[in-house]
Structures are given as structure tokens and as C-alpha cells.
Amino acid sequence: MCVGKVIHGGALWQPGIRCVRDYDSVIAADVNDAWYPPSPRVLEAIAEWAPCANHSPDTACRRLVGALSDKFRVDAEAIRIGAGSSDLLHHIVMSSVRQGDEVLTLEPTYAEYAHAAALAGGRVRTVVLDPGAGFAADVEQIVEAVRRGPRLCVICNPNNPTGSVIPRAGLLRIVHAAAPETLVLLDEAYIDFRPEDSLFADVPDYPNLAVVRTFSKVYAMAGLRVGFAAIGEGFLTAFDEHGRPPWPVNLLGLRAAEAALEDDDFIRERVVECNQLKDQLIRDLLAPVIQSSTSYFLIDLAGSKLGAVDLLERLKSQGVFLREFSGFSDLWPDRFARVTIQSASNNDRIYLLINSLLA
Ligand SMILES: Cc1ncc(COP(=O)(O)O)c(C=O)c1O
């Protein structure tokens, strides 16, 4: 479990990246950003509204909230907007966890939950996923842990970095096992790859359920920082009273998100394309991988000529960045590395390099 400073991928944040074409100088397969630009409708909306950037946006983000409420059939009262899902995840943790409270999560998983929980004074406990089972979660084990009454249970579904999914029925078992004082928080950052397993529209039925989603992943808008959450009524007041600055999202981000919601075809097509690219990359790689439902997957380097640390260093020297597993868990040191799907030509560069280094 990682509770200290969280390391995120950052090949593209180097000071040397100064203009748009500098992005081509590295392959940033170390972050789960989309490799493609946003929908043309989003680009049009940004261009149209850019001259209005001198105006403040609506503090309550009413147009976006209304569009989300219509799309997901969730009462607008339950929806909150944030500067990316990170903003909402942190705020939900900070507003629900008190000093000494137990916070339950999975391991390995996205490290921000443990980080925020530690900042709030929580004690983090993890249910460890088994690599031998492809990191599939054992729902009964989670149900048992939830019955012990943690203040918060955070689950990333699909999970980062494993790409494994808890199907809807399993999630509902977990929600039903939770006492009213336990908040079940689902991070659905990658749910567009498995929309049928979302619990976003179920939030009105469960006062102790909160679901956070983002425009940063399949919508390809990570640079715009727009996330949204549905929060059960048992935890909504705490969220609002914990203190939020006004204008969580900038004007262009809001208009872009509204436009993005009107282009469902774009999302469907990108998911199909990403899955095809992923399947091809997995076929091309000589190393074994953990099967994933998302646009990223883990390479398993157990028994390989190089461990993960050495492999990543050598790839980096060639401008190819993968993600260190140590940012998700201290378990299995040096065994796994996470790859995020890129364009077909960049995926070719990735597999050719990895195969040559592992040969
Ligand atoms: C599981 C998960 N949740 C949330 C985030 C944060 O995304 P954002 O704040 O851009 O919405 C990430 C980013 O990589 C993530 O992997």
C-alpha cells in the first residue's frame, strides 16, 4: 500500500516539453490519458467559447449538471462537479473520514485513496488481490471486510493498475453489506470500458453510496480537468459543508464536457478501437500480461531476463515511458510494469523495444 506522496506518470510534464510538437518526442505510456484528441464537437466548443474566457463560469455548473442528470437519470440534487475526479475523490474522503477511522481499499489500486485517507487521519486497510487470479477481486472477502464497519470503502472499478472489474452484482453485494455509517465510494474513471457494470445511476437508491466519474480518460479531456460525482443523501451534506471553493471547473472545461456528452458515438468507437489496439499489442509482446478490461494492462516480468525497474530505465533512455508498479503497491517488487495503449505506430515501437530488451 502506498500512503506517502503519490507518484503519477509524468513523461509529458518535463520542462523540455514547450510546444505541441514536443509531445511527439516521447511515448507517454506511463499515464492513462487517451492517446487520441477529444471529440471534434469538444474541439469546436472550446474554439467557440475561448473568446469568452474573460467571463467567470456558473459556480453551480448548472448546464453540465442538467445534462448529466438527463443522461444518467439521476436527480440533479445528487450530482456534484469537480476539477477532475481527483478533486471529488479527495473532497469525499476528506469530508467523510475522521481521525482514526478505518478506510478499506484494494491492493494494488490507485494510490490517491490511501493518500487522501492518511491526510484525513484514517487508518488504511487493504484487501490484497491475487496476481495468480489475474488480480480479480474476491467479492466475499470484500463483503467480510465491509461487515467489520470501516468508515469508508473505496473501490476502483475497473481497477487501476490491474484492469480487473468487479461485475455489478458483486458491487451490489458489497453495498448491501455496508452499514449506513459506511460510505461505499466507487471510482469509475475507466467505466466507459465496462458501462454495464456502472453503479452511477443507482446512487439515489443507496444513501451510503457515492460514484465518481471523469472526462479525463475515454473522453480524452484530461487537460481540461472535469469530473462528476453522484453522492448518496447520507453523505451529501458532509460533502457540501466541508467547504468547496466556488467555480470548481473553468468555463472551457464546462462547455467542452457538455459537448462531449452529445457525442456517444465517439466514446463507443474509441472503446472498440482501444480494445483492438490492446489485443494487438498483447499478441505482439513476448512477455506475459495480466488480462485487462481497459486501455492499460500489466506486463508480468516474473522469470524475465530483466526486472521491471531495469526494463523501465532502459525504455526511458529510448523515449518510451511505462508506469512503475511501485506507485500502486509495495508488494511484488520489480515484477510488474503498466503499459497504456497508444496509437498503432507507437504500440509497434513499444513492443519492438520491449521484445528486444527481453530477448
Ligand atoms: C483510477 C483513477 N481515478 C482517478 C484519476 C484521476 O483522474 P482525473 O482527476 O483526471 O479525473 C485517475 C488518473 O489517472 C485514475 O487512474
Side-chain angles (χ1 to χ4, degrees):
M1 150 180 58
C2 304
V3 293
K5 187 173 177 299
V6 180
I7 315 277
H8 293 277
L12 291 177
W13 311 338
Q14 299 168 53
I17 303 287
R18 288 173 182 275
C19 62
V20 172
R21 71 173 177 280
D22 286 342
Y23 277 90
D24 296 334
S25 64
V26 293
I27 297 182
D30 60 335
V31 275
N32 282 340
D33 294 350
W35 57 269
Y36 47 86
S39 148
R41 291 206 201 179
V42 167
L43 299 179
E44 272 166 35
I46 293 171
E48 184 187 347
W49 286 89
C52 302
N54 52 317
H55 293 293
S56 302
D58 173 11
T59 52
C61 313
R62 274 168 294 197
R63 259 171 67 169
L64 179 57
V65 167
L68 290 165
S69 169
D70 290 346
K71 184 178 173 77
F72 293 104
R73 298 179 198 287
V74 170
D75 192 345
E77 291 300 310
I79 297 177
R80 296 293 179 273
I81 305 297
S85 57
S86 309
D87 172 21
L88 294 160
L89 289 164
H90 266 254
H91 196 79
I92 292 170
V93 174
M94 293 311 229
S95 63
S96 59
V97 174
R98 297 283 164 273
Q99 190 70 34
D101 282 350
E102 184 179 303
V103 175
L104 180 72
T105 191
L106 309 180
E107 181 165 5
T109 197
Y110 189 53
E112 288 292 348
Y113 320 132
H115 179 227
L119 290 176
R123 290 174 294 117
V124 181
R125 232 162 51 86
T126 62
V127 170
V128 177
L129 305 176
D130 175 8
F135 288 111
D138 177 344
V139 171
E140 291 317 309
Q141 214 186 335
I142 302 174
V143 163
E144 214 175 283
V146 163
R147 286 210 177 106
R148 278 187 227 124
R151 176 62 172 164
L152 176 66
C153 167
V154 196
I155 295 176
C156 184
N157 201 51
N159 191 31
N160 179 12
T162 60
S164 48
V165 179
I166 302 179
R168 208 185 130 72
L171 293 169
L172 286 172
R173 275 190 51 66
I174 294 166
V175 175
H176 286 141
E181 306 75 38
T182 296
L183 174 63
V184 178
L185 172 57
L186 300 183
D187 180 353
E188 293 191 347
Y190 303 99
I191 201 70
D192 295 293
F193 289 102
R194 285 283 291 250
E196 66 275 22
D197 292 312
S198 175
L199 254 56
F200 191 86
D202 298 271
V203 167
D205 298 334
Y206 299 99
N208 59 338
L209 174 64
V211 180
V212 175
R213 296 181 59 154
T214 182
F215 287 94
S216 292
K217 306 303 176 188
V218 175
Y219 286 90
M221 290 163 49
L224 287 163
R225 315 300 312 139
V226 194
F228 56 103
I231 302 176
E233 60 182 17
F235 288 80
L236 203 49
T237 308
F239 180 95
D240 290 338
E241 291 184 349
H242 197 70
R244 297 272 293 156
W247 307 294
V249 180
N250 66 80
L251 179 75
L252 299 185
L254 286 178
R255 292 291 103 92
E258 290 152 18
L261 289 177
E262 289 168 7
D263 198 354
D264 286 343
D265 286 349
F266 177 81
I267 300 303
R268 271 193 293 273
E269 286 161 16
R270 295 291 79 77
V271 166
V272 169
E273 188 180 23
C274 283
N275 281 330
Q276 286 166 349
L277 288 164
K278 175 181 63 182
D279 292 345
Q280 185 60 51
L281 180 55
I282 289 174
R283 276 195 298 275
D284 288 334
L285 274 171
L286 292 178
V289 306
I290 302 288
Q291 289 304 321
S292 159
S293 296
T294 62
S295 59
Y296 51 86
F297 60 87
L298 293 171
I299 301 182
D300 187 349
L301 294 156
S304 286
K305 186 173 140 192
L306 290 177
V309 174
D310 275 349
L311 176 68
L312 264 58
E313 274 309 309
R314 293 190 197 198
L315 290 170
K316 208 182 281 183
S317 68
Q318 308 274 335
V320 174
F321 292 75
L322 306 191
R323 184 63 188 282
E324 303 88 354
F325 188 80
S326 57
F328 301 99
S329 172
D330 302 327
L331 302 174
W332 314 286
D334 218 22
R335 176 166 167 188
F336 297 104
R338 195 195 66 191
V339 190
T340 307
I341 291 301
Q342 306 297 307
S343 64
S345 58
N346 279 347
N347 286 341
D348 286 350
R349 243 183 97 190
I350 291 172
Y351 91 76
L352 286 169
L353 255 174
I354 293 179
N355 287 356
S356 71
L357 289 167
L358 294 182

